[in-house]
Amino acid sequence: MKKGSIVGIIVGSLLLTGCSTTNFYNRKKEVGITDRVSQKNDDGTTDKKISFEIEEAMFSVDLIKGWKELEVEEVYEDASVALSNMKNTIYYVVIGENKEDFESLDFYKELIIEQMIDEPDEVQEKEVTRNGLKGTNYTFYQAVDGIKFFYDIDILEGKEHFVQSISWTLKSKAKTNQDTMEQLLASIEEK
């Protein structure tokens, strides 16, 4: 079991608590998306699919207008992909772990939630299916180093991996950003 991945959400959040500081913006490196597959929307805008690997399995998410891909090393090195929407202060990462290392999806979900959440009674939970990936969606508020965040997280089961699909924003922006966060979470798929 990679303990680093399990606590990765917390570490990633700590790194991003500087989301409103100039130092964080200066440290991150946005990378080009020119090698991604484009899709035309009905309104003429173009979204892109970002493909990424978890071990040897391929996954993808939509890169919706306003989102940028970040170098994962700048956010959390065990993540397979990292995205941000700086205009709306929303962040997204995917962390995957081999299913062989865990007893079951229920055990994995419990482990992740225990590590992440101070007040588990305040978690909203619902079963989801994201493009064939089944799991559970969790929404909750959590303070990290005095900064209050809203998290919208899916813990999903792929063919050979358990996947944490994690989006977060500042608490004050939760209502405004939740639809965009949900749209990104819904776009994950295993190829």
Side-chain angles (χ1 to χ4, degrees):
M1 173 173 77
K2 293 193 296 186
K3 184 171 174 95
S5 292
I6 293 169
V7 294
I9 299 165
I10 297 165
V11 172
S13 295
L14 290 172
L15 290 172
L16 291 174
T17 55
C19 61
S20 62
T21 66
T22 304
N23 280 346
F24 175 74
Y25 291 123
N26 291 337
R27 282 187 349 174
K28 75 167 185 50
K29 297 177 185 173
E30 294 178 0
V31 296
I33 313 296
T34 56
D35 60 337
R36 307 302 185 191
V37 178
S38 296
Q39 293 179 235
K40 283 284 188 189
N41 297 326
D42 292 339
D43 64 0
T45 61
T46 302
D47 290 346
K48 301 175 190 303
K49 283 250 186 233
I50 293 181
S51 296
F52 56 95
E53 224 177 308
I54 297 175
E55 293 176 350
E56 294 179 11
M58 292 302 296
F59 290 80
S60 69
V61 293
D62 292 343
L63 185 67
I64 302 162
K65 184 178 179 184
W67 287 82
K68 302 280 186 201
E69 185 175 7
L70 304 175
E71 288 189 37
V72 293
E73 296 82 13
E74 294 292 322
V75 180
Y76 181 67
E77 67 183 38
D78 284 343
S80 296
V81 69
L83 305 175
S84 71
N85 180 319
M86 292 299 183
K87 179 180 177 189
N88 296 319
T89 319
I90 314 170
Y91 302 92
Y92 175 79
V93 296
V94 175
I95 300 168
E97 299 184 87
N98 196 306
K99 286 169 42 172
E100 288 182 16
D101 296 333
F102 301 91
E103 182 178 300
S104 66
L105 178 60
D106 288 335
F107 174 80
Y108 183 72
K109 290 188 294 189
E110 187 177 311
L111 190 62
I112 297 301
I113 295 305
E114 273 181 18
Q115 293 289 320
M116 281 198 67
I117 302 172
D118 292 336
E119 300 291 332
D121 296 341
E122 297 180 18
V123 176
Q124 300 292 319
E125 179 179 329
K126 67 180 178 184
E127 297 304 308
V128 292
T129 301
R130 308 288 194 189
N131 300 304
L133 298 169
K134 293 185 180 194
T136 306
N137 172 266
Y138 301 91
T139 56
F140 58 93
Y141 295 94
Q142 177 85 9
V144 178
D145 284 351
I147 300 173
K148 296 175 184 175
F149 291 100
F150 170 72
Y151 290 88
D152 195 349
I153 297 172
D154 287 343
I155 299 178
L156 306 166
E157 183 172 8
K159 294 172 191 161
E160 297 179 17
H161 298 86
F162 293 132
V163 177
Q164 300 168 51
S165 180
I166 307 159
S167 186
W168 68 100
T169 190
L170 296 170
K171 182 178 181 180
S172 63
K173 297 179 179 274
K175 288 182 181 164
T176 305
N177 290 339
Q178 191 167 11
D179 286 344
T180 302
M181 295 165 74
E182 180 63 26
Q183 183 181 7
L184 186 57
L185 289 171
S187 76
I188 192 167
E189 62 183 302
E190 186 170 13
K191 296 181 174 194

